[in-house]
């Protein structure tokens, strides 16, 4: 059951992908670990940090961290589902671009994503 991988009290690690922030990279969309709150970039991003976090930690459930989206995904079962409300904030700041962050987004970001 996916609920075993969800801690509704875990706060998000920050407004953007923690791993991209650490390396100065950028992301396409953001996902939040439902177990510990780690914010990582999605599978359509260059580095797929949310999936890497799941593989490294065994934290298999993510929730979208995009405004207006509240779906969950289980990497272990490839299952999309609805779940409980998580600790606020439940999305990145509204003025933050997706892809983003804007100041690190290369002019050829579309080509980079297509090429990977």
């Amino acid at each position: 059951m996916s609920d075993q991988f969800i801690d509704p009290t875990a706060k998000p690690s920050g407004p953007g992908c923690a791993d991209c922030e650490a390396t100065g990279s950028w992301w396409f969309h953001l996902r939040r670990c439902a177990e510990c709150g780690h914010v990582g970039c999605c599978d359509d991003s260059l580095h797929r940090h949310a999936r890497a976090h799941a593989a490294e930690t065994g934290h298999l459930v993510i929730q979208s961290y995009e405004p207006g989206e509240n779906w969950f995904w289980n990497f272990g079962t490839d299952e999309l589902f609805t779940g409980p409300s998580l600790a606020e904030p439940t999305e990145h700041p509204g003025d933050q671009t997706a892809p983003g962050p804007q100041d690190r987004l290369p002019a050829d970001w579309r080509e980079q994503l297509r090429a990977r």
Side-chain angles (χ1 to χ4, degrees):
M1 174 114 196
S2 296
D3 287 347
Q4 69 186 355
F5 300 111
I6 298 174
D7 178 356
T9 66
K11 297 198 179 290
S13 60
C17 175
D19 304 293
C20 286
E21 293 286 3
T23 63
S25 191
W26 56 278
W27 53 82
F28 187 59
H29 288 129
L30 297 171
R31 307 297 179 238
R32 171 187 178 175
C33 176
E35 191 165 343
C36 73
H38 179 86
V39 176
C41 54
C42 72
D43 282 354
D44 290 328
S45 296
L46 291 177
H47 305 293
R48 302 176 179 176
H49 286 127
R51 183 174 292 274
H53 173 78
E56 291 167 10
T57 64
H59 298 173
L60 300 178
V61 175
I62 57 168
Q63 185 182 42
S64 176
Y65 201 53
E66 293 298 317
E69 298 181 359
N70 62 0
W71 53 263
F72 287 79
W73 180 261
N74 185 319
F75 285 120
T77 63
D78 289 333
E79 170 189 31
L80 181 71
F81 65 98
T82 57
S85 296
L86 300 182
E88 296 287 334
T90 58
E91 58 191 38
H92 67 73
D95 62 350
Q96 180 175 295
T97 61
Q102 184 66 41
D103 63 333
R104 293 197 310 252
L105 195 61
D108 67 342
W109 67 267
R110 288 180 184 85
E111 289 78 22
Q112 287 188 35
L113 293 181
R114 276 190 222 110
R116 57 163 196 89

